[in-house]
Amino acid sequence: MAEDKPWALISEVGEQGYFEDLADIIKRNFNVVCLKDFQQNPQLHGPKIQAVLLWNSFPTVEPSLLSLLPSLKVVANGGVGIDHLDVPYINSLGVKVTNTPGVVSNATADIGMALLLASARKVVEGHHIAVDPKTTHLPQCLMGDEVSESTLGIIGMGDIGYKIAQRGKGFDMKILYHNRNRRSVEDEQAVGATFCKNMDDLLKESDFVMLAVNLTPETTGLISHQQLSLMKPTATLVNVSRGRVVDQDALVKALQSGTIRAAALDVTYPEPLPRDHPLLGLPNVLITPHVGTNTYTTTSKIVQQMVDNAVAAVKGLPAPNEVKPK
């Protein structure tokens, strides 16, 4: 019965929110109110909302919204990153915060390797030549960089980083990694990874540098002028973490000056970039619109995990993926 289900606030159903099949996963366990309807009558809807389910960081969870939700028990985020949430403040209201680790790892690692391969082998450039009506012969000068047996440096060796290492091993790549904590010997041996306590050593040796860290105050601007200057002039920077991990002004200069060969980015800051941003006009940049988790299989798993987390919190049970403030 619909009356027996708790109420959840979501962004919307449609192109800018949840697809219908994803919304159906939510509706099995919750009555839903879309943000637009909520804003038209917050006095009616606010008191009954017990869960806010975030998709692509929306609806924006800020004090003005939270003050209208006296019955709120959980903010359930779709995805791992929670840099858009003030977890201590939300917790201070007696509200739990959850995310969806694990289920995003394979798809995000896949897009990381896809970007690496597409950049190295000039896939996009080749496509444009192949479909250009003016093309009358196949150019021999479209030369890419070898991926097999090259050196892959992974910064951030959590679940996503480790999945990237597994894929790199499949290309016989030499795997280096830098992480706050060293992985077990067994984990390292399984993918042939070597720990670099000093990130500078990884930057100097890698042909491809892959960023797979969470965005925190410590990782904001992690890659800037100094770090880029340490990289090989033939190296490529790949970012599947968050845009603000990279100083984009420094990246533009490094790409323009030939300090590094190329960049392949699934994330930028902001998203999307302003249409006149210099990164968009550089020939040695490949950008995708933050599609790391965008597969039907993964998005379905994310929404189901969000729902499972929210249902547990609403029932007063331990939430499987509660985020604790650090």
Side-chain angles (χ1 to χ4, degrees), residues 109-216:
D110 286 348
I111 201 70
M113 289 304 295
L115 286 166
L116 186 157
L117 288 163
S119 178
R121 298 306 305 271
K122 300 186 182 296
V123 170
V124 175
E125 297 93 322
H127 170 76
H128 288 156
I129 292 170
V131 301
D132 188 339
K134 298 178 182 179
T135 296
T136 57
H137 68 281
L138 300 181
Q140 299 302 306
C141 60
L142 191 67
M143 303 295 286
D145 291 325
E146 195 82 9
V147 173
S148 294
E149 299 183 355
S150 63
T151 299
L152 171 62
I154 302 170
I155 299 177
M157 196 66 147
D159 199 35
I160 292 171
Y162 195 74
K163 296 284 188 181
I164 292 166
Q166 291 175 327
R167 284 149 179 76
K169 183 185 178 185
F171 285 87
D172 297 321
M173 300 178 85
K174 177 183 177 181
I175 310 294
L176 307 177
Y177 78 97
H178 174 75
N179 201 48
R180 286 181 303 173
N181 301 307
R182 185 171 181 172
R183 303 281 304 217
S184 69
V185 173
E186 292 76 17
D187 284 349
E188 291 180 346
Q189 290 178 343
V191 294
T194 300
F195 177 63
C196 293
K197 185 175 182 179
N198 189 332
M199 188 175 73
D200 290 356
D201 295 334
L202 178 148
L203 293 170
K204 292 174 184 176
E205 295 183 37
S206 299
D207 298 304
F208 301 92
V209 174
M210 183 87 68
L211 303 177
V213 297
N214 291 325
L215 181 63
T216 66

Side-chain angles (χ1 to χ4, degrees), residues 27 85 184:
K27 291 175 182 178
L85 296 173
S184 69

